[in-house]
Amino acid sequence: MTMSSRTRRPMSILGATLLTLAIALVGAVPAQAVPGGPTQTAATSKVAYAALGDSYAAGVGGGGYLDTCLTSPAGYPSLLSADPGVNHEALLACTGATTADVTTQLSALTRQTKLVTVTVGANDLGLDVLATACLTRTIEECLAAVAVAQARFPQLAVDLATTFASIRAAAPKATVVVTGYPLLFESPTDPRKLAVNQGIALLNDLIEASAAAAGFLFVDVESAFAGHGLDSADPWIHDIFSAEAFHPTIAGYQAYAEAIRAAIG
């Protein structure tokens, strides 16, 4: 089951070929190939909501950080954990996490876990390096960074499938919500900015296909951030000069939370 309001985008022949190959690989790793979930303990058996993933799931950009993972009380998991009826949360996401790291965040998940959210994939592709190269360097350096990211798509498809199977094994009864990432720019004409947006769009398409193959909900945030890119009058993303560059602001995380609430009812 997926939830997406995105309009399908035209893409380059290379991008389309890589995405097709990557989506085909989503089903290449069966759920049975992943070991079972962690041993339940008294300390973890009460966790009803678990947040997994990278800096977007930790809440980088929201401020007021609580730990070395840069977990923010303004991040979307913290906002969701304050909703009525959400009890015994485990905010496990950590800045810098890749798909492989998410598999180490599963210790709190059990058969009693009802909701899991996860945002992951950008670090596997080195999306921050791509964005920095395309915003601060030449078009040639930008396109070289794009090529490096594109070459990682087939492996990311396999890694997402493995990670999602691990989540399902650890929390077999949970509703699992997988989110995408916002596009950084509003209808860019600069080829470097366009390359960044296209890279994010391809990543979102792959995450959506992987989530669907796993039977998870996919929540698109591209439309939620429309009109609030870096070059808008009201940006919901921190700019490149910020220590929290390319991450949502507090308003951006509120948009994430609203999109997830709409998906799970």
Short mmCIF file of all heavy atoms in Angstrom, two decimals, residues 3-7 9 56 76 118-119 177-186 200-201 204-205 207-208 218-229 236-237 246 248 251-263:
data_model
loop_
_atom_site.label_atom_id
_atom_site.label_comp_id
_atom_site.label_asym_id
_atom_site.label_seq_id
_atom_site.Cartn_x
_atom_site.Cartn_y
_atom_site.Cartn_z
N MET A 3 1.05 5.72 -0.45
CA MET A 3 0.33 6.99 -0.54
C MET A 3 1.24 7.96 -1.23
O MET A 3 2.32 8.26 -0.75
CB MET A 3 -0.03 7.51 0.85
CG MET A 3 -0.75 8.86 0.79
SD MET A 3 -1.18 9.47 2.41
CE MET A 3 -1.93 11.02 1.97
N SER A 4 0.83 8.44 -2.38
CA SER A 4 1.68 9.36 -3.14
C SER A 4 0.82 10.25 -3.99
O SER A 4 -0.11 9.80 -4.64
CB SER A 4 2.65 8.57 -4.03
OG SER A 4 3.39 9.45 -4.82
N SER A 5 1.15 11.54 -3.98
CA SER A 5 0.43 12.49 -4.83
C SER A 5 1.36 13.08 -5.87
O SER A 5 1.05 14.07 -6.50
CB SER A 5 -0.16 13.61 -3.96
OG SER A 5 0.85 14.28 -3.25
N ARG A 6 2.51 12.46 -6.07
CA ARG A 6 3.48 13.01 -7.01
C ARG A 6 3.07 12.76 -8.44
O ARG A 6 2.53 11.71 -8.78
CB ARG A 6 4.86 12.39 -6.77
CG ARG A 6 5.59 13.00 -5.60
CD ARG A 6 6.97 12.41 -5.48
NE ARG A 6 6.86 11.00 -5.12
CZ ARG A 6 7.61 10.04 -5.62
NH1 ARG A 6 8.49 10.31 -6.56
NH2 ARG A 6 7.49 8.80 -5.22
N THR A 7 3.37 13.70 -9.29
CA THR A 7 3.22 13.52 -10.73
C THR A 7 4.49 12.89 -11.25
O THR A 7 5.59 13.33 -10.93
CB THR A 7 2.99 14.87 -11.43
OG1 THR A 7 1.82 15.47 -10.90
CG2 THR A 7 2.85 14.67 -12.93
N ARG A 9 7.68 12.10 -13.26
CA ARG A 9 8.54 13.04 -13.94
C ARG A 9 9.26 12.40 -15.10
O ARG A 9 9.62 11.23 -15.03
CB ARG A 9 9.61 13.58 -12.97
CG ARG A 9 9.08 14.53 -11.98
CD ARG A 9 9.25 14.19 -10.58
NE ARG A 9 9.71 12.90 -10.18
CZ ARG A 9 9.50 12.47 -8.96
NH1 ARG A 9 8.83 13.19 -8.10
NH2 ARG A 9 9.95 11.31 -8.56
N TYR A 56 17.18 13.07 8.83
CA TYR A 56 15.82 13.57 8.62
C TYR A 56 14.87 12.97 9.65
O TYR A 56 13.93 13.62 10.11
CB TYR A 56 15.34 13.25 7.22
CG TYR A 56 15.62 14.33 6.20
CD1 TYR A 56 16.93 14.67 5.85
CD2 TYR A 56 14.59 15.00 5.57
CE1 TYR A 56 17.20 15.65 4.91
CE2 TYR A 56 14.83 15.99 4.62
CZ TYR A 56 16.14 16.31 4.30
OH TYR A 56 16.39 17.30 3.37
N TYR A 76 9.97 15.23 13.16
CA TYR A 76 8.64 14.65 12.98
C TYR A 76 8.37 13.47 13.90
O TYR A 76 7.24 13.30 14.36
CB TYR A 76 8.39 14.31 11.50
CG TYR A 76 9.02 13.04 10.98
CD1 TYR A 76 8.51 11.79 11.29
CD2 TYR A 76 10.12 13.09 10.11
CE1 TYR A 76 9.08 10.62 10.79
CE2 TYR A 76 10.69 11.93 9.62
CZ TYR A 76 10.17 10.70 9.96
OH TYR A 76 10.73 9.55 9.46
N VAL A 118 10.24 5.39 9.07
CA VAL A 118 11.64 5.31 8.65
C VAL A 118 11.89 6.24 7.47
O VAL A 118 11.10 6.32 6.54
CB VAL A 118 12.03 3.86 8.29
CG1 VAL A 118 11.11 3.28 7.22
CG2 VAL A 118 13.48 3.77 7.84
N THR A 119 12.98 6.98 7.57
CA THR A 119 13.48 7.80 6.47
C THR A 119 14.94 7.42 6.27
O THR A 119 15.76 7.60 7.18
CB THR A 119 13.39 9.30 6.78
OG1 THR A 119 12.04 9.63 7.14
CG2 THR A 119 13.83 10.13 5.58
N VAL A 177 5.65 3.06 8.02
CA VAL A 177 5.53 4.22 7.14
C VAL A 177 6.93 4.64 6.71
O VAL A 177 7.79 4.94 7.55
CB VAL A 177 4.84 5.39 7.86
CG1 VAL A 177 4.76 6.60 6.94
CG2 VAL A 177 3.44 4.99 8.32
N VAL A 178 7.16 4.64 5.41
CA VAL A 178 8.44 5.04 4.83
C VAL A 178 8.25 6.39 4.15
O VAL A 178 7.33 6.56 3.35
CB VAL A 178 8.93 4.00 3.80
CG1 VAL A 178 10.29 4.41 3.24
CG2 VAL A 178 8.99 2.61 4.44
N THR A 179 9.10 7.34 4.45
CA THR A 179 8.96 8.66 3.84
C THR A 179 10.03 8.90 2.79
O THR A 179 11.11 8.30 2.81
CB THR A 179 9.05 9.79 4.88
OG1 THR A 179 10.42 10.01 5.21
CG2 THR A 179 8.25 9.48 6.12
N GLY A 180 9.71 9.81 1.88
CA GLY A 180 10.69 10.30 0.93
C GLY A 180 11.33 11.57 1.44
O GLY A 180 11.23 11.92 2.62
N TYR A 181 12.00 12.27 0.52
CA TYR A 181 12.71 13.51 0.84
C TYR A 181 12.13 14.65 0.01
O TYR A 181 11.65 14.44 -1.10
CB TYR A 181 14.20 13.37 0.52
CG TYR A 181 14.92 12.32 1.33
CD1 TYR A 181 14.95 10.99 0.92
CD2 TYR A 181 15.58 12.65 2.52
CE1 TYR A 181 15.61 10.02 1.66
CE2 TYR A 181 16.24 11.70 3.27
CZ TYR A 181 16.26 10.38 2.83
OH TYR A 181 16.91 9.41 3.56
N PRO A 182 12.18 15.89 0.51
CA PRO A 182 11.70 17.02 -0.28
C PRO A 182 12.69 17.40 -1.38
O PRO A 182 13.90 17.22 -1.23
CB PRO A 182 11.60 18.15 0.76
CG PRO A 182 12.63 17.80 1.79
CD PRO A 182 12.65 16.30 1.86
N LEU A 183 12.16 17.91 -2.48
CA LEU A 183 13.02 18.51 -3.50
C LEU A 183 13.57 19.82 -2.95
O LEU A 183 12.88 20.54 -2.23
CB LEU A 183 12.23 18.77 -4.78
CG LEU A 183 11.56 17.55 -5.42
CD1 LEU A 183 10.86 17.97 -6.72
CD2 LEU A 183 12.56 16.44 -5.69
N LEU A 184 14.81 20.13 -3.29
CA LEU A 184 15.45 21.31 -2.69
C LEU A 184 15.05 22.61 -3.36
O LEU A 184 15.10 23.67 -2.74
CB LEU A 184 16.97 21.16 -2.73
CG LEU A 184 17.58 20.04 -1.88
CD1 LEU A 184 19.10 20.14 -1.90
CD2 LEU A 184 17.06 20.09 -0.44
N PHE A 185 14.66 22.56 -4.64
CA PHE A 185 14.44 23.80 -5.39
C PHE A 185 13.07 23.83 -6.06
O PHE A 185 12.47 22.80 -6.32
CB PHE A 185 15.54 23.97 -6.46
CG PHE A 185 16.92 24.00 -5.88
CD1 PHE A 185 17.72 22.88 -5.95
CD2 PHE A 185 17.40 25.14 -5.26
CE1 PHE A 185 19.00 22.89 -5.40
CE2 PHE A 185 18.67 25.17 -4.71
CZ PHE A 185 19.47 24.04 -4.78
N GLU A 186 12.60 25.06 -6.32
CA GLU A 186 11.33 25.29 -7.00
C GLU A 186 11.57 25.49 -8.50
O GLU A 186 12.13 26.51 -8.89
CB GLU A 186 10.65 26.54 -6.43
CG GLU A 186 10.42 26.53 -4.94
CD GLU A 186 9.40 25.50 -4.53
OE1 GLU A 186 8.45 25.28 -5.28
OE2 GLU A 186 9.57 24.91 -3.45
N ILE A 200 17.15 13.62 -6.30
CA ILE A 200 16.23 13.38 -5.18
C ILE A 200 14.96 12.69 -5.67
O ILE A 200 14.45 11.77 -5.03
CB ILE A 200 15.90 14.69 -4.46
CG1 ILE A 200 17.16 15.30 -3.83
CG2 ILE A 200 14.84 14.47 -3.38
CD1 ILE A 200 16.97 16.71 -3.31
N ALA A 201 14.45 13.13 -6.82
CA ALA A 201 13.23 12.54 -7.37
C ALA A 201 13.44 11.06 -7.70
O ALA A 201 12.57 10.22 -7.41
CB ALA A 201 12.80 13.30 -8.62
N ASN A 204 13.48 9.15 -4.45
CA ASN A 204 12.12 8.99 -3.93
C ASN A 204 11.35 7.90 -4.68
O ASN A 204 10.61 7.11 -4.08
CB ASN A 204 11.36 10.32 -4.00
CG ASN A 204 11.82 11.31 -2.95
OD1 ASN A 204 12.37 10.93 -1.93
ND2 ASN A 204 11.58 12.58 -3.20
N ASP A 205 11.53 7.84 -6.00
CA ASP A 205 10.86 6.81 -6.79
C ASP A 205 11.32 5.42 -6.36
O ASP A 205 10.52 4.48 -6.26
CB ASP A 205 11.14 7.01 -8.27
CG ASP A 205 10.37 8.17 -8.87
OD1 ASP A 205 9.38 8.64 -8.25
OD2 ASP A 205 10.75 8.63 -9.96
N ILE A 207 12.64 4.56 -3.39
CA ILE A 207 12.14 4.28 -2.04
C ILE A 207 10.68 3.89 -2.08
O ILE A 207 10.24 2.94 -1.41
CB ILE A 207 12.35 5.51 -1.13
CG1 ILE A 207 13.85 5.76 -0.91
CG2 ILE A 207 11.66 5.30 0.23
CD1 ILE A 207 14.16 7.06 -0.20
N GLU A 208 9.90 4.59 -2.91
CA GLU A 208 8.48 4.27 -3.03
C GLU A 208 8.27 2.85 -3.55
O GLU A 208 7.44 2.09 -3.03
CB GLU A 208 7.79 5.27 -3.96
CG GLU A 208 6.30 5.00 -4.13
CD GLU A 208 5.62 6.01 -5.03
OE1 GLU A 208 6.31 6.81 -5.67
OE2 GLU A 208 4.37 5.99 -5.07
N PHE A 218 4.05 4.36 1.79
CA PHE A 218 5.01 5.37 1.39
C PHE A 218 4.36 6.74 1.51
O PHE A 218 3.23 6.93 1.03
CB PHE A 218 5.49 5.16 -0.04
CG PHE A 218 6.41 6.26 -0.53
CD1 PHE A 218 7.73 6.31 -0.13
CD2 PHE A 218 5.91 7.27 -1.35
CE1 PHE A 218 8.57 7.33 -0.56
CE2 PHE A 218 6.75 8.30 -1.80
CZ PHE A 218 8.08 8.32 -1.40
N VAL A 219 5.04 7.67 2.13
CA VAL A 219 4.53 9.03 2.27
C VAL A 219 5.44 9.98 1.50
O VAL A 219 6.62 10.14 1.81
CB VAL A 219 4.45 9.46 3.75
CG1 VAL A 219 4.11 10.94 3.87
CG2 VAL A 219 3.39 8.63 4.48
N ASP A 220 4.86 10.59 0.48
CA ASP A 220 5.56 11.58 -0.32
C ASP A 220 5.52 12.92 0.38
O ASP A 220 4.49 13.31 0.92
CB ASP A 220 4.86 11.69 -1.68
CG ASP A 220 5.25 12.95 -2.42
OD1 ASP A 220 6.46 13.20 -2.54
OD2 ASP A 220 4.34 13.68 -2.86
N VAL A 221 6.66 13.63 0.39
CA VAL A 221 6.66 14.98 0.95
C VAL A 221 7.02 16.03 -0.10
O VAL A 221 7.13 17.21 0.23
CB VAL A 221 7.61 15.10 2.16
CG1 VAL A 221 7.11 14.24 3.32
CG2 VAL A 221 9.04 14.76 1.79
N GLU A 222 7.19 15.61 -1.34
CA GLU A 222 7.51 16.58 -2.39
C GLU A 222 6.40 17.63 -2.50
O GLU A 222 6.66 18.83 -2.54
CB GLU A 222 7.69 15.88 -3.73
CG GLU A 222 8.96 15.04 -3.81
CD GLU A 222 9.12 14.39 -5.17
OE1 GLU A 222 8.53 14.90 -6.16
OE2 GLU A 222 9.83 13.38 -5.27
N SER A 223 5.15 17.17 -2.55
CA SER A 223 4.05 18.12 -2.67
C SER A 223 3.86 18.95 -1.41
O SER A 223 3.50 20.12 -1.47
CB SER A 223 2.75 17.38 -3.01
OG SER A 223 2.45 16.41 -2.03
N ALA A 224 4.15 18.34 -0.24
CA ALA A 224 4.01 19.07 1.02
C ALA A 224 4.97 20.24 1.10
O ALA A 224 4.67 21.27 1.71
CB ALA A 224 4.24 18.12 2.19
N PHE A 225 6.15 20.11 0.46
CA PHE A 225 7.16 21.16 0.49
C PHE A 225 7.07 22.09 -0.72
O PHE A 225 7.87 23.03 -0.83
CB PHE A 225 8.56 20.55 0.54
CG PHE A 225 9.02 20.18 1.93
CD1 PHE A 225 8.50 19.07 2.58
CD2 PHE A 225 9.99 20.93 2.59
CE1 PHE A 225 8.93 18.71 3.84
CE2 PHE A 225 10.43 20.58 3.86
CZ PHE A 225 9.89 19.47 4.50
N ALA A 226 6.12 21.84 -1.61
CA ALA A 226 5.99 22.69 -2.80
C ALA A 226 5.77 24.14 -2.40
O ALA A 226 4.93 24.45 -1.56
CB ALA A 226 4.84 22.20 -3.67
N GLY A 227 6.56 25.03 -2.98
CA GLY A 227 6.50 26.44 -2.62
C GLY A 227 7.40 26.81 -1.47
O GLY A 227 7.44 27.98 -1.06
N HIS A 228 8.14 25.83 -0.95
CA HIS A 228 8.98 26.09 0.23
C HIS A 228 10.41 25.58 0.04
O HIS A 228 11.07 25.20 1.01
CB HIS A 228 8.34 25.47 1.47
CG HIS A 228 6.98 26.01 1.77
ND1 HIS A 228 6.79 27.26 2.32
CD2 HIS A 228 5.74 25.50 1.56
CE1 HIS A 228 5.50 27.48 2.47
NE2 HIS A 228 4.83 26.44 2.01
N GLY A 229 10.87 25.55 -1.20
CA GLY A 229 12.24 25.14 -1.47
C GLY A 229 13.24 26.20 -1.07
O GLY A 229 12.88 27.30 -0.62
N TRP A 236 11.47 26.03 3.73
CA TRP A 236 11.36 25.10 4.85
C TRP A 236 12.56 24.18 4.90
O TRP A 236 12.52 23.11 5.51
CB TRP A 236 10.08 24.26 4.71
CG TRP A 236 8.81 25.01 4.95
CD1 TRP A 236 8.67 26.30 5.36
CD2 TRP A 236 7.48 24.49 4.80
NE1 TRP A 236 7.34 26.63 5.48
CE2 TRP A 236 6.58 25.54 5.14
CE3 TRP A 236 6.96 23.25 4.42
CZ2 TRP A 236 5.19 25.37 5.11
CZ3 TRP A 236 5.58 23.09 4.38
CH2 TRP A 236 4.70 24.13 4.73
N ILE A 237 13.64 24.58 4.25
CA ILE A 237 14.88 23.81 4.20
C ILE A 237 16.03 24.75 4.51
O ILE A 237 16.08 25.87 3.98
CB ILE A 237 15.07 23.16 2.82
CG1 ILE A 237 13.89 22.24 2.48
CG2 ILE A 237 16.38 22.37 2.75
CD1 ILE A 237 13.87 21.77 1.04
N PHE A 246 20.48 21.64 4.02
CA PHE A 246 19.66 20.68 3.27
C PHE A 246 18.67 19.91 4.14
O PHE A 246 18.02 18.98 3.66
CB PHE A 246 20.53 19.69 2.48
CG PHE A 246 21.63 20.34 1.68
CD1 PHE A 246 22.91 19.81 1.69
CD2 PHE A 246 21.38 21.48 0.93
CE1 PHE A 246 23.93 20.41 0.97
CE2 PHE A 246 22.40 22.08 0.19
CZ PHE A 246 23.68 21.54 0.22
N PRO A 248 15.22 19.96 6.88
CA PRO A 248 14.02 20.77 7.10
C PRO A 248 14.15 21.71 8.29
O PRO A 248 14.90 21.45 9.25
CB PRO A 248 12.93 19.73 7.35
CG PRO A 248 13.44 18.48 6.70
CD PRO A 248 14.93 18.52 6.90
N ALA A 251 9.15 24.21 10.53
CA ALA A 251 7.94 24.16 9.70
C ALA A 251 7.97 22.96 8.76
O ALA A 251 6.93 22.32 8.50
CB ALA A 251 7.80 25.45 8.90
N GLY A 252 9.15 22.62 8.25
CA GLY A 252 9.28 21.46 7.39
C GLY A 252 8.96 20.17 8.10
O GLY A 252 8.28 19.28 7.55
N TYR A 253 9.42 20.04 9.33
CA TYR A 253 9.12 18.82 10.09
C TYR A 253 7.64 18.74 10.47
O TYR A 253 7.07 17.65 10.54
CB TYR A 253 10.01 18.73 11.33
CG TYR A 253 11.41 18.28 10.99
CD1 TYR A 253 12.52 19.08 11.25
CD2 TYR A 253 11.61 17.04 10.37
CE1 TYR A 253 13.80 18.65 10.91
CE2 TYR A 253 12.89 16.63 10.03
CZ TYR A 253 13.97 17.43 10.30
OH TYR A 253 15.24 17.01 9.94
N GLN A 254 7.03 19.88 10.67
CA GLN A 254 5.58 19.87 10.91
C GLN A 254 4.84 19.36 9.67
O GLN A 254 3.86 18.61 9.78
CB GLN A 254 5.11 21.28 11.29
CG GLN A 254 5.58 21.71 12.67
CD GLN A 254 5.32 23.18 12.96
OE1 GLN A 254 5.09 23.98 12.04
NE2 GLN A 254 5.38 23.57 14.22
N ALA A 255 5.35 19.73 8.48
CA ALA A 255 4.76 19.23 7.24
C ALA A 255 4.94 17.73 7.12
O ALA A 255 4.04 17.01 6.67
CB ALA A 255 5.38 19.95 6.05
N TYR A 256 6.11 17.23 7.50
CA TYR A 256 6.35 15.78 7.52
C TYR A 256 5.32 15.09 8.42
O TYR A 256 4.70 14.09 8.04
CB TYR A 256 7.74 15.48 8.06
CG TYR A 256 8.79 15.13 7.03
CD1 TYR A 256 9.63 16.08 6.50
CD2 TYR A 256 8.94 13.81 6.60
CE1 TYR A 256 10.61 15.76 5.57
CE2 TYR A 256 9.92 13.47 5.68
CZ TYR A 256 10.76 14.45 5.17
OH TYR A 256 11.71 14.11 4.25
N ALA A 257 5.17 15.60 9.64
CA ALA A 257 4.26 14.97 10.59
C ALA A 257 2.83 14.96 10.07
O ALA A 257 2.12 13.96 10.19
CB ALA A 257 4.35 15.69 11.93
N GLU A 258 2.41 16.07 9.47
CA GLU A 258 1.05 16.14 8.93
C GLU A 258 0.84 15.13 7.81
O GLU A 258 -0.22 14.50 7.69
CB GLU A 258 0.75 17.56 8.44
CG GLU A 258 0.53 18.56 9.57
CD GLU A 258 -0.60 18.16 10.49
OE1 GLU A 258 -1.65 17.70 10.00
OE2 GLU A 258 -0.43 18.28 11.73
N ALA A 259 1.84 14.98 6.94
CA ALA A 259 1.74 14.03 5.83
C ALA A 259 1.63 12.60 6.36
O ALA A 259 0.87 11.78 5.83
CB ALA A 259 2.93 14.17 4.90
N ILE A 260 2.38 12.28 7.40
CA ILE A 260 2.33 10.94 7.98
C ILE A 260 1.00 10.71 8.67
O ILE A 260 0.38 9.63 8.54
CB ILE A 260 3.51 10.73 8.95
CG1 ILE A 260 4.83 10.74 8.18
CG2 ILE A 260 3.35 9.42 9.72
CD1 ILE A 260 6.06 10.79 9.04
N ARG A 261 0.52 11.71 9.40
CA ARG A 261 -0.79 11.57 10.06
C ARG A 261 -1.89 11.30 9.04
O ARG A 261 -2.78 10.49 9.26
CB ARG A 261 -1.10 12.83 10.86
CG ARG A 261 -0.25 13.03 12.10
CD ARG A 261 -0.67 14.28 12.84
NE ARG A 261 0.18 14.55 14.00
CZ ARG A 261 0.96 15.63 14.13
NH1 ARG A 261 0.97 16.57 13.16
NH2 ARG A 261 1.72 15.79 15.20
N ALA A 262 -1.82 12.00 7.90
CA ALA A 262 -2.83 11.81 6.86
C ALA A 262 -2.76 10.39 6.31
O ALA A 262 -3.81 9.80 5.96
CB ALA A 262 -2.63 12.83 5.74
N ALA A 263 -1.57 9.82 6.22
CA ALA A 263 -1.41 8.49 5.66
C ALA A 263 -1.93 7.40 6.57
O ALA A 263 -2.53 6.43 6.13
CB ALA A 263 0.06 8.23 5.35
#
